[in-house]
């Protein structure tokens, strides 16, 4: 990655773990450490949010330019990329996380116990900036994290089904984002670099039932853009048979503020209304919700919610 771009990302709070990979402290780690507030994934799946490491092995490399993306986007044509080695990324990312939380020691709002736990991450969200399936050693990366006793959440935009299909080591939880009910909205909202990517997303959804891991379809719902069309979404989700569907409202933060307005943030009531309609079509249950995060979780049974460690 060019030095100029590295400088911009460092200003945004990223710590590099090589030339093309990096870590950033999640807002919710900070919230948990100093205010005791956790992200909805702690409430839904029982993760320890203050022990979560948020990283990307393919920083700022993506085949979409979603208008709602809150990350820095500069996905223009790149020269050849030399990706970092999985083991190096894992070791450096854990080290970087330790350094990122070091400043909380001594803050009277953060207990020593929690600070120590935060220095020993047991959860990784492979979902920072960029599309992780662009990284050629994804299975090995997941394996390296799991070798260290960490749960792995992988979030993909679903545009690279051949990578999902060929993973020889699956994450603890596999997310596919479904941010559009049809190709027309997909092209306008997700700004793909090829319109064929819509068919690839459909193919990824069809692959989910064959994966021997927990699967989640996640909607990022943007008011005025992709809310409604519940029947079209339901037809796509039916094929994916996911363990869970997360209906999540867009949040007006980060770089998305240059492309969206605060009016694009749906209320929790809107998310709930959407979730209820989708639920009826899919025959699922509302398993949980968190109003402050504007998210409703759909699924078949609460039994599967807690992650096995
Ligand atoms: S699961 Fe996601 S929101 Fe929660 S702490 Fe990890 S990166 Fe942040
Ligand atoms: S697919 Fe993800 S990383 Fe890529 S532009 Fe969209 S939200 Fe951002």
């Amino acid at each position: 990655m060019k030095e100029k771009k590295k400088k911009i990302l460092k200003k945004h709070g990223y710590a590099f773990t090589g030339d093309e990979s990096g870590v950033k402290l999640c807002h919710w780690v900070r919230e948990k450490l100093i205010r005791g507030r956790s992200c909805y994934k702690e409430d839904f799946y029982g993760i320890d949010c203050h022990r979560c490491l948020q990283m990307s092995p393919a920083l700022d490399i993506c085949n979409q330019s979603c208008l709602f993306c809150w990350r820095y986007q500069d996905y223009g044509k790149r020269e050849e990329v030399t990706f970092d080695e999985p083991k190096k990324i894992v070791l450096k990312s854990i080290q970087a996380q330790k350094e990122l939380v070091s400043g909380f020691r001594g803050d009277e709002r953060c207990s020593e116990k929690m600070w120590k736990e935060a220095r020993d991450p047991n959860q990784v969200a492979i979902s920072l900036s960029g599309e992780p399936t662009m990284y050629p050693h994804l299975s090995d990366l997941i394996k390296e994290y799991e070798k260290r006793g960490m749960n792995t959440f992988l979030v993909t935009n679903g545009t690279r089904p051949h990578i999902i299909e060929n993973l020889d080591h699956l994450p603890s939880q596999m997310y596919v984002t479904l941010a559009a009910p049809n190709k027309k909205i997909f092209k306008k909202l997700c700004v793909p670099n090829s319109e064929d990517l819509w068919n690839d997303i459909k193919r990824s959804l069809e692959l989910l039932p064959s994966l021997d891991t927990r699967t989640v379809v996640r909607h990022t719902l943007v008011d005025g853009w992709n809310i409604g069309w519940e029947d079209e979404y339901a037809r796509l989700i039916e094929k994916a048979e996911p363990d869970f569907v997360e209906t999540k409202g867009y949040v007006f933060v980060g770089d998305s503020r240059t492309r969206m307005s605060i009016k694009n943030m749906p209320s929790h009531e809107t998310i709930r209304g959407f979730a209820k309609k989708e639920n009826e079509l899919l025959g699922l249950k509302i398993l949980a919700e968190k109003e402050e995060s504007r998210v409703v979780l759909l699924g078949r049974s609460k039994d599967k919610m807690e992650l096995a460690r």
Side-chain angles (χ1 to χ4, degrees):
M1 186 184 297
K2 293 223 168 90
E3 278 311 313
K4 196 174 152 206
K5 194 187 271 189
K6 271 193 175 173
K7 262 194 186 163
I8 297 172
L9 290 174
K10 280 182 188 165
K11 258 196 184 166
H12 281 67
Y14 289 75
F16 279 82
T17 52
D19 276 335
E20 305 289 344
S21 57
V23 186
K24 190 177 177 197
L25 201 66
C26 174
H27 156 80
W28 286 104
V29 173
R30 192 173 291 114
E31 281 299 296
K32 179 83 183 287
L33 288 176
I34 62 178
R35 292 192 187 86
R37 294 170 69 222
S38 54
C39 76
Y40 72 87
K41 294 185 194 91
E42 177 161 319
D43 300 2
F44 290 2
Y45 309 119
I47 68 157
D48 298 317
C49 134
H50 62 298
R51 298 181 71 185
C52 180
L53 186 163
Q54 179 187 225
M55 62 80 63
S56 171
L59 264 187
D60 203 36
I61 302 174
C62 194
N63 50 6
Q64 297 182 182
S65 296
C66 307
L67 301 182
F68 54 79
C69 180
W70 52 288
R71 308 301 187 185
Y72 173 72
Q73 285 180 346
D74 179 17
Y75 306 145
K77 237 180 176 263
R78 286 193 163 220
E79 283 116 55
E80 207 163 294
V81 174
T82 309
F83 287 99
D84 305 309
E85 287 302 317
K87 196 167 180 177
K88 176 179 162 190
I89 296 180
V90 170
L91 293 173
K92 286 202 158 203
S93 62
I94 294 171
Q95 186 54 38
Q97 182 83 350
K98 281 187 182 169
E99 284 160 21
L100 288 167
V101 299
S102 62
F104 292 97
R105 188 177 210 183
D107 185 321
E108 59 187 24
R109 296 167 296 177
C110 174
S111 73
E112 180 79 5
K113 178 177 177 289
M114 213 177 250
W115 176 77
K116 278 193 182 146
E117 286 172 356
R119 284 171 56 80
D120 181 21
N122 64 357
Q123 162 80 25
V124 59
I126 307 174
S127 75
L128 186 53
S129 154
E131 169 51 34
T133 58
M134 295 286 183
Y135 181 63
H137 317 294
L138 200 48
S139 292
D140 289 339
L141 184 79
I142 294 167
K143 259 187 236 165
E144 286 292 335
Y145 277 119
E146 291 191 353
K147 262 204 293 200
R148 288 160 181 82
M150 295 169 76
N151 280 319
T152 48
F153 279 21
L154 177 70
V155 185
T156 171
N157 63 15
T159 55
R160 291 169 57 85
H162 58 293
I163 301 290
I164 298 178
E165 198 167 20
N166 290 312
L167 281 175
D168 61 27
H169 194 87
L170 290 164
S172 332
Q173 185 149 304
M174 165 79 87
Y175 278 86
V176 175
T177 300
L178 181 60
N182 54 48
K183 189 171 178 176
K184 196 171 161 202
I185 295 174
F186 172 66
K187 276 169 63 182
K188 284 190 181 156
L189 180 62
C190 300
V191 198
N193 65 10
S194 152
E195 56 182 75
D196 296 343
L197 297 188
W198 177 245
N199 285 334
D200 291 327
I201 292 175
K202 291 203 284 187
R203 173 86 191 104
S204 291
L205 292 171
E206 285 166 9
L207 277 173
L208 289 191
S210 66
L211 304 182
D212 186 18
T213 191
R214 285 160 46 124
T215 56
V216 184
V217 172
R218 182 176 61 191
H219 299 305
T220 303
L221 296 170
V222 190
D223 225 351
W225 279 93
N226 63 357
I227 303 181
W229 301 277
E230 289 86 354
D231 47 347
E232 286 184 66
Y233 281 115
R235 279 202 293 276
L236 293 166
I237 292 173
E238 257 163 13
K239 294 192 177 145
E241 296 172 24
D243 292 305
F244 304 107
V245 180
E246 280 183 14
T247 52
K248 168 91 182 74
Y250 157 73
V251 184
F252 184 64
V253 290
D255 278 28
S256 74
R257 288 173 296 182
T258 61
R259 302 172 225 111
M260 289 278 158
S261 100
I262 192 121
K263 290 190 184 134
N264 298 119
M265 243 175 94
S267 67
H268 187 65
E269 272 317 296
T270 304
I271 298 298
R272 217 168 187 276
F274 175 92
K276 273 178 92 174
K277 282 191 196 149
E278 195 171 83
N279 210 22
E280 279 158 24
L281 291 162
L282 289 166
L284 301 174
K285 292 183 189 139
I286 292 186
L287 300 179
E289 63 186 301
K290 186 156 181 168
E291 186 163 352
E292 66 173 317
S293 301
R294 297 163 201 231
V295 60
V296 176
L297 183 71
L298 311 178
R300 273 181 188 76
S301 152
K302 285 195 175 204
D303 298 346
K304 286 191 94 174
M305 283 171 69
E306 199 83 0
L307 266 180
R309 288 223 189 265

